[in-house]
Amino acid sequence: MVHLKPRAERHTEKGHPWVLGSQIARVDGTPATGDPVDVVSAAGAFLGRGLYHERSLIRVRLLTRQPDVDLDELLATRIRDAFAMRRATFPDSEHWRAVNGEADGIPGTVIDRYGDVLVFSTICAGIERRKDALLDLLQEIDSPRSLVQRDDNWLRAKDGLPEVRAVVRGEDPGPVTLEEKSVRFTIDVLGGPKTGFFLDQRFHRLAVRRFARGRRVLDLFSSDGGFGLHAAAGGALSAELVDVSEPALERARANASASGLADRIAYRAADLLDELPKWADERNGEFDLIVLDPPAFAKSRRHVDSATRAYQLLNINALRLLPPGGILATSSCSAALDETTWEKMLRYAIRKAECRVRLLYRGCQPPDHPVLPEMPETQYLKFRVIQKLAD
């Protein structure tokens, strides 16, 4: 049993599913990582039941507020429910996030479905300990051709876990093909970004496509080319894709060719934090639509200030680069940077760029990436489309 310090239960009583080591007064017995434990307040009131992690800053990942619950049975039920919800929500798609961590009650774990290939990743040692049972369950409920573990995440070290990138059940999946409204993407689930692709931006790619007709597009941090290719498919006059990664640009080239869009796409390798301020002066007015989808600069709360400065730099110069009437689609996937802070950053960037804008579109995570209101960390994706106005 885990006993909290006086008043430390307030965080837990509000519904947040993490118990930090700094909140704990003492632990009865010697539970090992992954063992079920009960958590009680300093006064002895039952608060919840979860998985213990002796080496982690997140000492207990709570799964239920009910006592005497078999946690393994609970986890299996939640995974079944998560798959059922996606099938009902996306009946016309084979590609979705099947499990989204704490928001589906499976701590620190995501499972992405690319047709008959499932890719899972976990930073939770308690789930890793149950990996064989998890794989058995996934084979039972979805019969995948391949099960891939994609765990090249530095956060695993915090739970004492090694990095893993391997096919763990079934055959080597090889390239996986995904199509979004005529745009074809070839996904490398072992070598591509994250679990192979950015499923969370797929609604936003379609939103950008709506604004692209007749425009010259600059897709910054383009990765596999998702935004730029959709813009071209939506009638853009041209699209320039920019990323620091040559392998990402090679994947984008292949996707453009497969989609019949290669004639309107150009590619450039560049470090945008260095180059974009120069382009704001040298290439002013060259583009009518800019997509700004940078990586998660804020890996933790201690990086928020530096991340905010980076987002400011990028958004200021993207706005400077646009002519009046130009459109900026801007995004952040930094969970540690909350929406209020990011909105404040964007307003600051607009002032520093000395322009006026209007909001055309406001986006967040799709429904297969649900959010727990009591856990702000689960709401990570921010997306806005704004138009620069004439003075």
Side-chain angles (χ1 to χ4, degrees):
M1 185 173 293
V2 175
H3 299 260
L4 300 189
K5 296 176 181 177
R7 294 180 297 280
E9 71 275 5
R10 290 177 295 180
H11 183 70
T12 303
E13 286 176 339
K14 291 178 180 178
H16 200 289
W18 292 350
V19 175
L20 306 180
S22 60
Q23 296 175 269
I24 295 173
R26 73 177 194 277
V27 179
D28 293 342
T30 55
T33 288
D35 283 351
V37 293
D38 291 339
V39 177
V40 298
S41 70
F46 177 81
L47 297 172
R49 186 168 172 79
L51 301 177
Y52 186 73
H53 297 81
E54 57 186 330
R55 293 183 54 176
S56 177
L57 293 173
I58 306 171
R59 198 62 50 85
V60 182
R61 293 179 182 261
L62 290 170
L63 296 177
T64 177
R65 308 290 161 172
Q66 303 300 319
D68 304 321
V69 173
D70 185 309
L71 297 188
D72 291 322
E73 290 182 4
L74 179 63
L75 288 167
T77 297
R78 286 179 174 172
I79 290 173
R80 292 179 191 277
D81 289 347
F83 271 79
M85 189 275 276
R86 273 64 173 190
R87 289 191 178 106
T89 307
F90 302 102
D92 300 323
S93 177
E94 295 293 317
H95 314 286
W96 22 261
R97 172 151 293 181
V99 170
N100 193 49
E102 277 79 354
D104 282 303
I106 314 296
T109 303
V110 300
I111 302 172
D112 284 341
R113 186 180 194 269
Y114 302 106
D116 58 2
V117 177
L118 291 180
V119 185
F120 82 93
S121 174
T122 186
I123 57 173
C124 174
I127 299 298
E128 178 77 17
R129 182 175 127 174
R130 293 162 170 79
K131 182 170 76 172
D132 287 342
L134 170 66
L135 297 176
D136 289 344
L137 178 63
L138 293 177
Q139 287 185 309
E140 174 194 333
I141 63 178
D142 205 49
S143 302
R145 172 171 60 94
S146 303
L147 268 166
V148 174
Q149 183 171 4
R150 184 65 191 274
D151 271 321
D152 44 344
N153 190 325
W154 64 275
L155 286 170
R156 279 174 62 89
K158 292 181 176 292
D159 263 14
L161 299 173
E163 294 189 6
V164 179
R165 188 190 301 210
V167 179
V168 290
R169 297 276 179 94
E171 63 187 65
D172 187 324
V176 178
T177 300
L178 180 155
E179 185 168 324
E180 293 178 344
K181 289 193 177 296
S182 78
V183 180
R184 295 173 64 85
F185 299 98
T186 298
I187 300 167
D188 181 355
V189 296
L190 286 167
K194 302 295 184 178
T195 65
F197 196 59
F198 294 110
L199 288 171
D200 55 358
Q201 290 280 31
R202 64 191 187 280
F203 288 4
H204 298 153
R205 288 190 283 270
L206 298 179
V208 165
R209 181 170 175 154
R210 291 180 180 275
F211 295 107
R213 181 168 297 278
R215 293 183 179 273
R216 300 160 298 168
V217 177
L218 180 62
D219 182 3
L220 304 177
F221 302 96
S222 59
S223 188
D224 290 16
F227 284 105
L229 298 188
H230 270 286
L237 299 176
S238 63
E240 182 173 317
L241 277 54
V242 185
D243 201 282
V244 73
S245 167
E246 286 285 5
L249 291 174
E250 284 301 317
R251 293 194 298 270
R253 285 187 181 94
N255 293 333
S257 295
S259 303
L261 299 169
D263 60 326
R264 278 176 287 160
I265 309 292
Y267 309 88
R268 185 189 295 257
D271 183 334
L272 285 161
L273 287 171
D274 290 335
E275 293 298 321
L276 193 57
K278 302 174 190 175
W279 295 356
D281 294 321
E282 298 168 0
R283 308 182 72 185
N284 186 276
E286 189 174 330
F287 302 97
D288 310 298
L289 170 59
I290 296 176
V291 182
L292 184 55
D293 183 27
F297 292 136
K299 300 293 186 182
S300 67
R301 293 190 184 280
R302 69 175 182 274
H303 298 129
V304 166
D305 288 345
S306 61
T308 300
R309 289 192 293 272
Y311 286 123
Q312 286 172 351
L313 174 73
L314 293 168
N315 281 275
I316 289 168
N317 287 290
L319 285 165
R320 289 179 58 214
L321 188 54
L322 283 170
I327 290 173
L328 173 63
T330 183
S331 183
S332 167
C333 60
S334 293
L337 187 68
D338 65 75
E339 189 160 16
T340 299
T341 303
W342 187 74
E343 288 264 16
K344 182 179 179 181
M345 175 283 303
L346 187 56
R347 289 194 297 270
Y348 174 83
I350 293 165
R351 291 197 304 273
K352 294 297 287 184
E354 299 180 338
C355 65
R356 296 187 306 118
V357 305
R358 60 180 177 178
L359 177 66
L360 302 179
Y361 179 89
R362 179 188 183 106
C364 58
Q365 292 154 235
D368 56 341
H369 292 63
V371 172
L372 286 182
E374 61 270 24
M375 188 180 185
E377 296 89 343
T378 60
Q379 185 171 354
Y380 69 93
L381 188 60
K382 286 82 66 177
F383 187 85
R384 303 288 184 270
V385 179
I386 58 178
Q387 185 174 32
K388 185 175 179 178
L389 300 176
D391 291 335

